[in-house]
Structure formats: structure tokens, C-alpha cells
Amino acid sequence: MGAAVYSLRMEQAAVTDLRTARARACLHCGSRMSGPAGGDFCCAGCSAVHALLKARGLESFYSLRGSTGRGRLGLPAALPSERFSYLDDPEFLRDYADPDGRGMRLYLEGTHCAACVWLTEKLPEFVPGVERLRLDLSTGVARLRLGPAGKFSEAAEELQRLGYRPHPVRVDESEALRVREERAHLIRLGVSAMASGNIMLLAIALYAGVDGGLQRYFRWLSLALYLPVLLYSAQPFFRTAWAALRRRQASIDVPIVLGILIGTVASLVNLVLGSSHIYFDSLSAIVFLLLATRYLLRRVNQSAFRAARLMHFMAPSRARVSRGGQWVDCPTDAVQVGDLIQVLPGECFPVDGVVAAGATSLNRALLTGESLPVAVCRGAIVEAGTWNLSSPVEVEVRSRGASTRLGGILAAMEKGLTERAPIVAYADRVGRAFVVAVSVLSVVGFFVGLQYGWNEAVNRALAVAIIVCPCTFALATPLAMSLAIGKAARNGVLVKGAEVIERLGRARTVFLDKTGTLTEGELEVTNYETERPEDLEALVALESLSVHPVALAIRRRFERSQAPGARPRVAEFAEIPGWGIRGRVGGAFYEVRAIGGEGGETRVGVFRDGCLVGRVALSDRMRPDAREALDGLRALGLDAWILSGDSLGPVDRVARHLGLAPERARARTSPEGKSELVKSVPESLMVGDGANDAVALASASVGIAVRGGMEVSLRAAGAYSSRPGLMPVLGLVRLSRETLRVIRRNLVFAVLYNVVGVTWALSGGLSPLAAAILMPASALTVFLSTMAGTRALRRAFP
Amino acid sequence: MSLLYLLVPMALILGFCFLAGFIFAASRGQFEDLETPAHRMLLPESTPPSETTER
């Protein structure tokens, strides 16, 4: 019966038993349901939340959601019931709450539309102790404020009941520092915008030929407006350039600072001498454009990152610890080695440890990629990040936090991700080349000018230094990257950073996971026949006692058509791993077991008293857009492979369906094997499940996760698609390629501009007016060219 | 033309007033969450935004 490989999510669903098949929409969450009967809700959870909203007089949630909702509601009550008493623990509050102990930040899972804002912010109206709640939709973080008598646990329980599982967020020093820096950056940007706008107005008058006292007045006024830009707005450039120089490294900020300083000195000298060569307008405009681009880049990078960074989602942040014979909720940080903790079915192990009492089965997919349940008993080792599937166990803690196996894997992944950032190295290379080029050309300018006297020599050297503008590199590349990341996000794909776009654009080989990536990842009943209706009833009754993938598929298909009360009773039930299940139903002895199957299809036979009386065929369906997406990827010149842990038959069938040669489909590949293969190819792209293929995703030069939780996926993969199907993957690859094309176009323009500008400056013909036009014009051209993109870029996402 | 000696500083003072307003708003964190307020204004009788800023 062990036909399909199941993902972590699937197993969770199994435990909480919330999934249903499709056709009608659930009144609460809007997910589709099938079957003739079953009421208005897809599950008991949705029904409960609906009743709760009604009791609180909050039905307008539904109309609000309709008008502004961006997606389907989460599946709220599927969450295991949690107790939040640890939120009121003074020790916990010291770390997580505001200094006065009445405010806290909670990350709320599943907030996504105006109705969520409305509903959560209504909290003070029905939880008496709550003074105020403000939700930030872009990060999902709510700021909770309590009245004098309020309790965090009460508020958290109510939020959980409404379907938003709360996680306390620790506001540490670095976060406060980040907020301060971002605000300071914005103010710098505002100051430079105001100054450069006004200087430009004055400059127009100057170029138009104002003379006499007014001319002198306007020039000194320009200086006055330029000073805040130089002394305040441009500070970050000076700081990073200085730091880079001290460490004897090149940075793109070095040539920028060089240009600003030379421009300022030249303008000051000319201002005092009364010459017309002053560049305050161009300099402040460049500072403004650079700051604006960096601000944009920061924002898009962060919006993808912040949510992922907020919590250590992979292992739960609390545990139930035995204290004096009682189970007490406490944060995982406070658990000591040697403590005894309890883990219920449907929960994730928060620590590494040894089972001290009880026996259960685990889903260890996160660590091993193996997603069929593993049985453990007393004395067995359990690891953080694995899921308890069947019964409660007590675990003696061996290690926690960063010292667990999961913690080690995460640390290694994060290290790997920060180590490789080619775009940074690239900017530095360009920066270094620029410093050299500017110095050499200025010297050349000086000697060329020397034949006309010292004055002319200095003027030409300065003109070269000013006109050579690195801003096309410093501005256009990050801008193109941030636009691409923003566009991807609007199409439901979260990209971790600029280097991900670069690597995607260069990818030559694509490896695709099969189960859950090319296929839906869930078994479905495709065909069935039974001799008598009672046989079908008996089958469903038997399967309802099992959590095996086949049992779940059968339940999804048939449970809705049966009234729960009418289900026959099962006696002598037994589940024999690798064989099937059996039991006595209504006087007859039934066996349900695998009877072979081919080409990815699983067949199950129903035997009554030893005679075959029914058959059920199940298979894992292909994603409907798999073929189209794969053809698109191949049309872009990518070499496609299938990597699967599944057996040869189903993998072969999928390969044939997709038109792939059989040798490009690798079956029975372990997670380590996948990772080896992916690593052996340069410029590889791995597409898979964020949880089960985490290792392979992290080993590839870039990975896209199409399944699994966002937080988990973004640890291992560079990008995460939140929409179903494979078309977003194709869209992202196209987008990345076109973005690199735009960047190359900008570079060509930058080279062209610099060649013309330098030649002009060297020949001595560069007037202040020409410089004032050329400098911002070059920046503006690359800016506009980047904004416009290419036609294919605009159409990257279907 | 000599009127410009007066007019330009006046225009600049006006500009600085707006800049001061911007700095006030930015330092109170009003540009950090650009998404939620757009939704919040559509909500009927939402909780009064008594305090949009903190820290």
C-alpha cells in the first residue's frame, strides 16, 4: 500500500482530519467541497468559527472579505488547541513584552485581507482586558496593548479561536536599530528631495542667464541648500566608503564619494572665484536618486524577509514541561536539558530528546525527506522539527535550540546563503574598476590640459572626475532587481534577494521533484467498484480508523456521502504495516489490502471472508499546468530533469506524460542523492517542496519552493511560490532573465555615456551646462529604461 | 526682479515647512506600514486610530 510519498502538510492534515474534496464552497473559508450532503461548512473548525462570529455579532466579516479579500481564508480550527498560560509568565514577559508589561507583538498566522484587520482589531470589544490591537497587514504582526487588568493569555486564546494562531515576537535590539535606521534613511531622502528640487529651480535661472547681484545670490543660495545634502543626506555613502577603505576593500560607494567630493571642491573653488562651473544641482540630484533607489531596494527585500525572519517556525516556541508532577506550558527557551516534556499527536517536537514513555509514529520528512510514518517507542531518539502523528509521548530533553540537529541544519543553511552573494562581489569589482578608471582618466585629462596652462589642466581633470558617473551601476542594477522582486511578489512569488534573481536568470539546468511538484501530491480515488453497497460502507468504516495515505484518500472520497451515525461498527480491527487493514464489520470479516497496480496507480482490493468483492483504484494526479510550464522552461533552453524518491513506475509515467526522456527521470533518489546530483551541475535550479526537499533546494545554486510553509521554504530556497501550479516558476525564470537583459542594456548605455562624456571633458569642450544636463540625464535614462523594462518582462507572468 | 530677493526665501521657508511635516511623519513611523491603512479606511466604524504612532 505504500505507493505515494507524502508531504509534511499532508500528514498534518491527516492528523487534524480537515481536508475534504472539492465542488461547493464552504461558507466560512471559501474552500470547495464535494459530495451531495454535509452542510455549509467544509469542516467542524469553519463551522465553529462561523458560529463564534455570529455570536459576537461580527457577520460583516464575510461581506468585508468579499470586497477586499485577496485570497482564500486559512483553515482556522484545524489548529490544535493550544494553551497560552505561558504568555502571562513574568519571566517570559521580561523578554517579550514592552517594558511596562502591557504591550506585546504577536505574529498572527493567516492574516491577509481587510476583513482580518477588522476582525482582529475588534478584539477589545469582546475581550475585556484588551485596550487596543493594531495589525500590520504587510508583516502579519499585531501590536497588542492590554488594560490594567488584562491578560495576554486571554487575548491569545480569543485570537486562536478566531483562526489566527498567535506567536509572540521578540523585539530585540537589532530590530529597534533597524527601525531607527529606516526612519533616518527616509528623512535623508526627504531632505535631499527638497534640496535638489529647489537647487534645480535656481539652476534653471542661472543657466538661463541671470546676472549681476541676483546671479551671485542664487549661487550662494544653491550652496546653502546643498550643504544639508552633503552633510546629512550623503552621510551613509561617506560612512560605507570610509569603512571599505579602512578595510582596504573596494565598494561602489568609494567612486560615488570621490565624485561628490571632487564635485563639491571644484564647485566651491569656482563659486569663490566667480566662475560659472558649479555643480550643486547635479550633485544633489544624484544623491537623491541613489538614496531613493536604495530605499526602494530595502523595502522590497525586507517585505519578503521580515515574515520569514520573525519566528523560528520550524520548531514550536513552547513546550509542555513536567514541573512537580504537573504539565506546565512554557517557552522552549526555558526548557532545560533533562526536563521531561509531553508532546501530543498533531504537534511538532520542540527539542531533541529520548522517548521516556509511550509509543507513537512520527513524520520525519523535514529532516530525512522520508514522509511515510516512522514508528518509535520508549528509548528511541526524537528530533526537533518532526511531527508526532498518533499518540501522546513523554520525552526527556537532550538538546534544544541551536544545538539540536535541526538547529545545526538551519545554521549551516543560513551560513551558506550569506556566503554566496555574487551581486555584492560584482558591485565591488565594478567599484574598484571605476576608482582606477577615474583616477587614470583624470591624470590623462590633467596632462592633456597642461599644454594650455595649469588652470586648464586642473579644470579638465575635474571635469573628467565629475562626468565619470558610477551611478548607472549603483542605481540601475539595484533598481531593476527591486522592481523584479516587487513584480514577483505581486504575482504570488516571494523572492529572497537580488542574487536570487541573478542566479535564476543564469540557470541552465532545472531539477523538478515529482510528488507534490509535478503532481498534486495527494492520492485520489479514480475508480471503484463493489459488489454490494454494504461492502463500500464496511470499507469506509475500516479506513476511518487508519491514517495511511490510502485511507485518507478513501475517506475524502466517501465520508461525505455517509451520515456519521449510520457508520457500521468495526470489531477486531488491525493495521498491518506494508500489507493492509482488516476487521470484522456487521458479521463479515473484511480485509483491505494492496492488489498491485501499475504506472503510478495504486489498486486496493476489498475481501469479504476471503473473497474479492471490490476494487478501488487511486492515483496521484498530474498538475494540470505541469506540461505547459515544463515546455516553457525547455523553450528557454533549460535542461529539465525529474528527481524523485518514488519508485520507477510512477516516475516513468510522469516523465512520459511530460515528454521527457526516461534517462532524465531519476527514481528512488534519497534526499542526499538529490542534493549530490543537484550540486554536481553548475547553475542548477531546483524546484520542489520547501519541507521535504529542503536539502536539495539549499544545495542547488538556486531553489524555488512550490509547497510547504513559506517560512520553512524561504530558509532553504531562494524563492517561494504561494500560488498553486508550476506556471509561477516559469514566470519567475522569465522575469529573472529579462531583468538581467535590462541590466545588460543599462550597462551598455552606461559605457556609451561615459565614453562620450570623458572624450568631451578631455577635449576641454565640456561647459557647465552640458555637464549639468549630462549627469542627471544619464541617471534618468537608466532609470526610465529600467522602469520600462522589456516587452517580455512585462509579460513574464501569464 | 529685485523682488526675487524676497520671494525666493519665502518660497524656501514654505518648502521647509513641508519638509518639517515630512520629518515629523517619518520619525513617527507613518511610512512603515503602507498597506494596512488603505484597507482600514474602508472598514465601517473601525476602532478609532487614536494613536497611529508609537515609539
Side-chain angles (χ1 to χ4, degrees), chain A residues 237-256:
Chain A
F237 302 116
F238 289 117
R239 224 176 299 137
T240 44
W242 177 235
L245 282 181
R246 255 206 325 220
R247 277 182 280 122
R248 296 175 188 285
Q249 285 169 345
S251 143
I252 194 78
D253 283 357
V254 174
I256 292 174

PDB file of all heavy atoms in Angstrom, chain A residues 237-256:
ATOM      1  N   PHE A 237      26.887  57.214   2.457  1.00  0.00           N
ATOM      2  CA  PHE A 237      27.907  56.928   1.440  1.00  0.00           C
ATOM      3  C   PHE A 237      29.292  57.127   2.025  1.00  0.00           C
ATOM      4  O   PHE A 237      30.191  56.324   1.827  1.00  0.00           O
ATOM      5  CB  PHE A 237      27.734  57.832   0.216  1.00  0.00           C
ATOM      6  CG  PHE A 237      26.380  57.714  -0.421  1.00  0.00           C
ATOM      7  CD1 PHE A 237      25.520  58.787  -0.450  1.00  0.00           C
ATOM      8  CD2 PHE A 237      25.967  56.520  -0.979  1.00  0.00           C
ATOM      9  CE1 PHE A 237      24.268  58.680  -1.014  1.00  0.00           C
ATOM     10  CE2 PHE A 237      24.723  56.395  -1.546  1.00  0.00           C
ATOM     11  CZ  PHE A 237      23.866  57.488  -1.559  1.00  0.00           C
ATOM     12  N   PHE A 238      29.458  58.243   2.762  1.00  0.00           N
ATOM     13  CA  PHE A 238      30.763  58.520   3.360  1.00  0.00           C
ATOM     14  C   PHE A 238      31.144  57.413   4.337  1.00  0.00           C
ATOM     15  O   PHE A 238      32.270  56.943   4.364  1.00  0.00           O
ATOM     16  CB  PHE A 238      30.742  59.867   4.100  1.00  0.00           C
ATOM     17  CG  PHE A 238      30.673  61.042   3.172  1.00  0.00           C
ATOM     18  CD1 PHE A 238      29.600  61.906   3.176  1.00  0.00           C
ATOM     19  CD2 PHE A 238      31.696  61.261   2.261  1.00  0.00           C
ATOM     20  CE1 PHE A 238      29.534  62.974   2.306  1.00  0.00           C
ATOM     21  CE2 PHE A 238      31.645  62.324   1.386  1.00  0.00           C
ATOM     22  CZ  PHE A 238      30.554  63.192   1.398  1.00  0.00           C
ATOM     23  N   ARG A 239      30.159  56.993   5.133  1.00  0.00           N
ATOM     24  CA  ARG A 239      30.469  56.006   6.163  1.00  0.00           C
ATOM     25  C   ARG A 239      30.898  54.675   5.552  1.00  0.00           C
ATOM     26  O   ARG A 239      31.919  54.113   5.931  1.00  0.00           O
ATOM     27  CB  ARG A 239      29.241  55.807   7.068  1.00  0.00           C
ATOM     28  CG  ARG A 239      29.631  55.774   8.533  1.00  0.00           C
ATOM     29  CD  ARG A 239      28.425  55.683   9.435  1.00  0.00           C
ATOM     30  NE  ARG A 239      27.539  56.826   9.293  1.00  0.00           N
ATOM     31  CZ  ARG A 239      26.209  56.730   9.237  1.00  0.00           C
ATOM     32  NH1 ARG A 239      25.628  55.567   9.278  1.00  0.00           N
ATOM     33  NH2 ARG A 239      25.477  57.815   9.133  1.00  0.00           N
ATOM     34  N   THR A 240      30.117  54.178   4.566  1.00  0.00           N
ATOM     35  CA  THR A 240      30.489  52.873   3.992  1.00  0.00           C
ATOM     36  C   THR A 240      31.780  52.972   3.192  1.00  0.00           C
ATOM     37  O   THR A 240      32.588  52.055   3.214  1.00  0.00           O
ATOM     38  CB  THR A 240      29.371  52.301   3.099  1.00  0.00           C
ATOM     39  OG1 THR A 240      28.885  53.342   2.279  1.00  0.00           O
ATOM     40  CG2 THR A 240      28.255  51.719   3.914  1.00  0.00           C
ATOM     41  N   ALA A 241      31.969  54.106   2.497  1.00  0.00           N
ATOM     42  CA  ALA A 241      33.192  54.264   1.716  1.00  0.00           C
ATOM     43  C   ALA A 241      34.401  54.277   2.650  1.00  0.00           C
ATOM     44  O   ALA A 241      35.410  53.624   2.390  1.00  0.00           O
ATOM     45  CB  ALA A 241      33.139  55.558   0.913  1.00  0.00           C
ATOM     46  N   TRP A 242      34.282  54.988   3.758  1.00  0.00           N
ATOM     47  CA  TRP A 242      35.378  55.071   4.720  1.00  0.00           C
ATOM     48  C   TRP A 242      35.671  53.695   5.311  1.00  0.00           C
ATOM     49  O   TRP A 242      36.818  53.264   5.396  1.00  0.00           O
ATOM     50  CB  TRP A 242      35.021  56.085   5.808  1.00  0.00           C
ATOM     51  CG  TRP A 242      36.031  56.214   6.901  1.00  0.00           C
ATOM     52  CD1 TRP A 242      35.817  56.079   8.231  1.00  0.00           C
ATOM     53  CD2 TRP A 242      37.428  56.528   6.763  1.00  0.00           C
ATOM     54  NE1 TRP A 242      36.969  56.278   8.924  1.00  0.00           N
ATOM     55  CE2 TRP A 242      37.993  56.552   8.048  1.00  0.00           C
ATOM     56  CE3 TRP A 242      38.261  56.771   5.660  1.00  0.00           C
ATOM     57  CZ2 TRP A 242      39.334  56.817   8.282  1.00  0.00           C
ATOM     58  CZ3 TRP A 242      39.610  57.041   5.892  1.00  0.00           C
ATOM     59  CH2 TRP A 242      40.135  57.063   7.185  1.00  0.00           C
ATOM     60  N   ALA A 243      34.590  52.971   5.669  1.00  0.00           N
ATOM     61  CA  ALA A 243      34.772  51.631   6.234  1.00  0.00           C
ATOM     62  C   ALA A 243      35.455  50.719   5.224  1.00  0.00           C
ATOM     63  O   ALA A 243      36.339  49.929   5.570  1.00  0.00           O
ATOM     64  CB  ALA A 243      33.424  51.053   6.655  1.00  0.00           C
ATOM     65  N   ALA A 244      35.063  50.822   3.958  1.00  0.00           N
ATOM     66  CA  ALA A 244      35.645  49.969   2.919  1.00  0.00           C
ATOM     67  C   ALA A 244      37.118  50.309   2.730  1.00  0.00           C
ATOM     68  O   ALA A 244      37.965  49.420   2.590  1.00  0.00           O
ATOM     69  CB  ALA A 244      34.893  50.154   1.606  1.00  0.00           C
ATOM     70  N   LEU A 245      37.439  51.589   2.732  1.00  0.00           N
ATOM     71  CA  LEU A 245      38.830  51.994   2.537  1.00  0.00           C
ATOM     72  C   LEU A 245      39.696  51.510   3.690  1.00  0.00           C
ATOM     73  O   LEU A 245      40.818  51.064   3.496  1.00  0.00           O
ATOM     74  CB  LEU A 245      38.924  53.520   2.432  1.00  0.00           C
ATOM     75  CG  LEU A 245      38.509  54.108   1.085  1.00  0.00           C
ATOM     76  CD1 LEU A 245      38.661  55.618   1.114  1.00  0.00           C
ATOM     77  CD2 LEU A 245      39.339  53.514  -0.036  1.00  0.00           C
ATOM     78  N   ARG A 246      39.154  51.592   4.919  1.00  0.00           N
ATOM     79  CA  ARG A 246      39.942  51.184   6.075  1.00  0.00           C
ATOM     80  C   ARG A 246      40.235  49.702   6.033  1.00  0.00           C
ATOM     81  O   ARG A 246      41.286  49.248   6.445  1.00  0.00           O
ATOM     82  CB  ARG A 246      39.181  51.528   7.356  1.00  0.00           C
ATOM     83  CG  ARG A 246      39.766  52.733   8.039  1.00  0.00           C
ATOM     84  CD  ARG A 246      39.467  52.696   9.506  1.00  0.00           C
ATOM     85  NE  ARG A 246      38.157  52.124   9.742  1.00  0.00           N
ATOM     86  CZ  ARG A 246      37.304  52.576  10.652  1.00  0.00           C
ATOM     87  NH1 ARG A 246      37.633  53.607  11.383  1.00  0.00           N
ATOM     88  NH2 ARG A 246      36.149  52.001  10.838  1.00  0.00           N
ATOM     89  N   ARG A 247      39.260  48.941   5.512  1.00  0.00           N
ATOM     90  CA  ARG A 247      39.485  47.501   5.399  1.00  0.00           C
ATOM     91  C   ARG A 247      40.173  47.155   4.079  1.00  0.00           C
ATOM     92  O   ARG A 247      40.284  45.995   3.723  1.00  0.00           O
ATOM     93  CB  ARG A 247      38.146  46.753   5.522  1.00  0.00           C
ATOM     94  CG  ARG A 247      37.744  46.545   6.982  1.00  0.00           C
ATOM     95  CD  ARG A 247      36.459  45.768   7.097  1.00  0.00           C
ATOM     96  NE  ARG A 247      35.312  46.637   6.866  1.00  0.00           N
ATOM     97  CZ  ARG A 247      34.400  46.443   5.923  1.00  0.00           C
ATOM     98  NH1 ARG A 247      34.511  45.395   5.139  1.00  0.00           N
ATOM     99  NH2 ARG A 247      33.409  47.273   5.775  1.00  0.00           N
ATOM    100  N   ARG A 248      40.577  48.180   3.366  1.00  0.00           N
ATOM    101  CA  ARG A 248      41.256  48.029   2.062  1.00  0.00           C
ATOM    102  C   ARG A 248      40.429  47.203   1.092  1.00  0.00           C
ATOM    103  O   ARG A 248      40.907  46.309   0.416  1.00  0.00           O
ATOM    104  CB  ARG A 248      42.641  47.391   2.235  1.00  0.00           C
ATOM    105  CG  ARG A 248      43.562  48.266   3.033  1.00  0.00           C
ATOM    106  CD  ARG A 248      44.874  47.595   3.304  1.00  0.00           C
ATOM    107  NE  ARG A 248      45.645  48.412   4.242  1.00  0.00           N
ATOM    108  CZ  ARG A 248      46.261  49.532   3.911  1.00  0.00           C
ATOM    109  NH1 ARG A 248      46.220  49.966   2.671  1.00  0.00           N
ATOM    110  NH2 ARG A 248      46.928  50.233   4.791  1.00  0.00           N
ATOM    111  N   GLN A 249      39.109  47.503   1.075  1.00  0.00           N
ATOM    112  CA  GLN A 249      38.232  46.834   0.127  1.00  0.00           C
ATOM    113  C   GLN A 249      37.619  47.902  -0.765  1.00  0.00           C
ATOM    114  O   GLN A 249      37.500  49.052  -0.364  1.00  0.00           O
ATOM    115  CB  GLN A 249      37.107  46.098   0.854  1.00  0.00           C
ATOM    116  CG  GLN A 249      37.570  44.834   1.526  1.00  0.00           C
ATOM    117  CD  GLN A 249      36.518  44.277   2.447  1.00  0.00           C
ATOM    118  OE1 GLN A 249      35.572  44.962   2.800  1.00  0.00           O
ATOM    119  NE2 GLN A 249      36.707  43.044   2.851  1.00  0.00           N
ATOM    120  N   ALA A 250      37.237  47.498  -1.961  1.00  0.00           N
ATOM    121  CA  ALA A 250      36.573  48.452  -2.839  1.00  0.00           C
ATOM    122  C   ALA A 250      35.072  48.319  -2.646  1.00  0.00           C
ATOM    123  O   ALA A 250      34.573  47.234  -2.396  1.00  0.00           O
ATOM    124  CB  ALA A 250      36.939  48.177  -4.281  1.00  0.00           C
ATOM    125  N   SER A 251      34.365  49.414  -2.712  1.00  0.00           N
ATOM    126  CA  SER A 251      32.918  49.371  -2.631  1.00  0.00           C
ATOM    127  C   SER A 251      32.395  50.383  -3.639  1.00  0.00           C
ATOM    128  O   SER A 251      33.094  51.339  -3.981  1.00  0.00           O
ATOM    129  CB  SER A 251      32.469  49.720  -1.206  1.00  0.00           C
ATOM    130  OG  SER A 251      31.297  50.480  -1.243  1.00  0.00           O
ATOM    131  N   ILE A 252      31.181  50.175  -4.094  1.00  0.00           N
ATOM    132  CA  ILE A 252      30.604  51.067  -5.096  1.00  0.00           C
ATOM    133  C   ILE A 252      30.492  52.477  -4.519  1.00  0.00           C
ATOM    134  O   ILE A 252      30.451  53.462  -5.243  1.00  0.00           O
ATOM    135  CB  ILE A 252      29.232  50.533  -5.576  1.00  0.00           C
ATOM    136  CG1 ILE A 252      28.765  51.238  -6.846  1.00  0.00           C
ATOM    137  CG2 ILE A 252      28.184  50.651  -4.496  1.00  0.00           C
ATOM    138  CD1 ILE A 252      29.422  50.759  -8.089  1.00  0.00           C
ATOM    139  N   ASP A 253      30.479  52.589  -3.185  1.00  0.00           N
ATOM    140  CA  ASP A 253      30.369  53.900  -2.557  1.00  0.00           C
ATOM    141  C   ASP A 253      31.649  54.715  -2.683  1.00  0.00           C
ATOM    142  O   ASP A 253      31.604  55.944  -2.579  1.00  0.00           O
ATOM    143  CB  ASP A 253      30.016  53.735  -1.071  1.00  0.00           C
ATOM    144  CG  ASP A 253      28.547  53.408  -0.897  1.00  0.00           C
ATOM    145  OD1 ASP A 253      27.842  53.387  -1.923  1.00  0.00           O
ATOM    146  OD2 ASP A 253      28.109  53.173   0.231  1.00  0.00           O
ATOM    147  N   VAL A 254      32.784  54.066  -2.902  1.00  0.00           N
ATOM    148  CA  VAL A 254      34.039  54.808  -2.991  1.00  0.00           C
ATOM    149  C   VAL A 254      34.041  55.769  -4.185  1.00  0.00           C
ATOM    150  O   VAL A 254      34.257  56.967  -4.003  1.00  0.00           O
ATOM    151  CB  VAL A 254      35.241  53.841  -3.011  1.00  0.00           C
ATOM    152  CG1 VAL A 254      36.528  54.603  -3.245  1.00  0.00           C
ATOM    153  CG2 VAL A 254      35.315  53.069  -1.706  1.00  0.00           C
ATOM    154  N   PRO A 255      33.763  55.283  -5.399  1.00  0.00           N
ATOM    155  CA  PRO A 255      33.714  56.244  -6.512  1.00  0.00           C
ATOM    156  C   PRO A 255      32.604  57.278  -6.362  1.00  0.00           C
ATOM    157  O   PRO A 255      32.776  58.425  -6.798  1.00  0.00           O
ATOM    158  CB  PRO A 255      33.490  55.368  -7.743  1.00  0.00           C
ATOM    159  CG  PRO A 255      33.063  54.059  -7.240  1.00  0.00           C
ATOM    160  CD  PRO A 255      33.623  53.903  -5.881  1.00  0.00           C
ATOM    161  N   ILE A 256      31.505  56.907  -5.740  1.00  0.00           N
ATOM    162  CA  ILE A 256      30.422  57.881  -5.536  1.00  0.00           C
ATOM    163  C   ILE A 256      30.923  59.017  -4.653  1.00  0.00           C
ATOM    164  O   ILE A 256      30.784  60.203  -4.973  1.00  0.00           O
ATOM    165  CB  ILE A 256      29.182  57.208  -4.880  1.00  0.00           C
ATOM    166  CG1 ILE A 256      28.543  56.227  -5.854  1.00  0.00           C
ATOM    167  CG2 ILE A 256      28.179  58.244  -4.420  1.00  0.00           C
ATOM    168  CD1 ILE A 256      27.425  55.419  -5.252  1.00  0.00           C
TER     169      ILE A 256
END
